[in-house]
Amino acid sequence: VAFYNVGRSLTTVFNVLLSYLLLKQTTSLYALLACGVIIGGFWLGVDQEGAEGTLSWTGIFFGVLASLCVSLNAIYTKKVLPVVDGSIWRLTFYNNVNACVLFFPLMMLLGEFHTLYHFDKLGNPSFWGMMTLGGVFGFAIGYVTGLQIKFTSPLTHNVSGTAKACAQTVLAVVYFEETKSFLWWTSNLMVLGGSFAYTWVKGLEMRKVQEDPNVKSSERNEAGV
């Protein structure tokens, strides 16, 4: 759990790459340097997990894949909001309907129906109560995520997610009473610091574009506005 922050720390890096590929937005040198710090923190974290004997390449693979999916989700959410007239309620509804449809072939492919058939708590009210509560919270998280992306940007959502992951890392270390090395904590600080440095640089660039009406259109694209 403590490695989660580093394992999926490449969200901001993927945000830069996908913004260029999908939205044709370029990135300044200083922003790229901040991304370099994040990548450095990622590799240092991987190295320290290996030194402690707790490294999982499967975990790293799915962590990087999670970073890619989170970044794609944020970018596409921002991109398709005009299609639903900026309504987060409609977007959340469509996402949940699509998820229900997509779950059926996945459940068949992975043998989940067989597991469900032999599950002994299908008639347990406590089970359905917790499932309903989990569904309510899941819906609320999806709605608030869409709201944050709508009124800020995919980048802001990704950075706040990184800060949340950092808090989760600290809580996991305390809860499981783990002892981590100085370099391990340094990797986490590099990821967090690089993410905030990227946000700070992009904020300055966007402010400059907004304050100077004579800025060229190419520079506006580079700032991501």
Side-chain angles (χ1 to χ4, degrees), residues 76-141:
Y76 272 106
T77 297
K78 191 75 170 182
K79 192 173 183 179
V80 303
L81 271 173
V83 178
V84 293
D85 300 322
S87 174
I88 301 299
W89 283 112
R90 286 175 61 188
L91 183 62
T92 305
F93 172 76
Y94 291 146
N95 282 341
N96 279 275
V97 170
N98 290 336
C100 289
V101 173
L102 291 171
F103 268 133
F104 278 102
L106 288 173
M107 290 174 70
M108 292 181 62
L109 184 65
L110 299 175
E112 291 294 327
F113 285 111
H114 180 268
T115 304
L116 195 61
Y117 179 78
H118 292 284
F119 188 57
D120 60 353
K121 291 185 173 58
L122 277 181
N124 190 324
S126 298
F127 168 75
W128 285 108
M130 294 303 294
M131 288 291 288
T132 302
L133 186 63
V136 170
F137 278 116
F139 182 87
I141 290 171

Side-chain angles (χ1 to χ4, degrees), residues 150-209:
K150 175 183 177 180
F151 288 106
T152 57
S153 68
L155 172 63
T156 302
H157 171 65
N158 292 336
V159 171
S160 66
T162 301
K164 180 268 297 180
C166 185
Q168 183 179 10
T169 296
V170 175
L171 288 173
V173 170
V174 173
Y175 182 82
F176 292 107
E177 298 180 350
E178 297 177 345
T179 302
K180 299 295 185 180
S181 66
F182 173 77
L183 288 177
W184 190 92
W185 284 109
T186 301
S187 70
N188 280 267
L189 291 175
M190 287 176 67
V191 168
L192 190 62
S195 299
F196 280 106
Y198 180 88
T199 308
W200 181 66
V201 169
K202 295 295 287 186
L204 290 178
E205 292 173 356
M206 294 177 71
R207 192 178 307 162
K208 179 182 177 182
V209 169

Side-chain angles (χ1 to χ4, degrees), residues 4-83:
Y4 174 77
N5 179 39
V6 175
R8 55 144 293 190
S9 62
L10 300 180
T11 307
T12 304
V13 178
F14 279 122
N15 192 87
V16 171
L17 181 61
L18 294 173
S19 293
Y20 176 75
L21 294 176
L22 300 176
L23 305 177
K24 305 305 179 184
Q25 293 178 353
T26 56
T27 305
S28 67
L29 175 62
Y30 290 115
L32 290 176
L33 288 175
C35 289
V37 174
I38 297 172
I39 295 173
F42 171 79
W43 282 115
L44 180 60
V46 170
D47 176 73
Q48 289 303 300
E49 285 290 316
E52 295 181 6
T54 53
L55 180 64
S56 166
W57 286 106
T58 304
I60 291 173
F61 171 77
F62 282 107
V64 173
L65 191 62
S67 297
L68 174 62
C69 291
V70 167
S71 183
L72 271 174
N73 176 69
I75 289 175
Y76 272 106
T77 297
K78 191 75 170 182
K79 192 173 183 179
V80 303
L81 271 173
V83 178

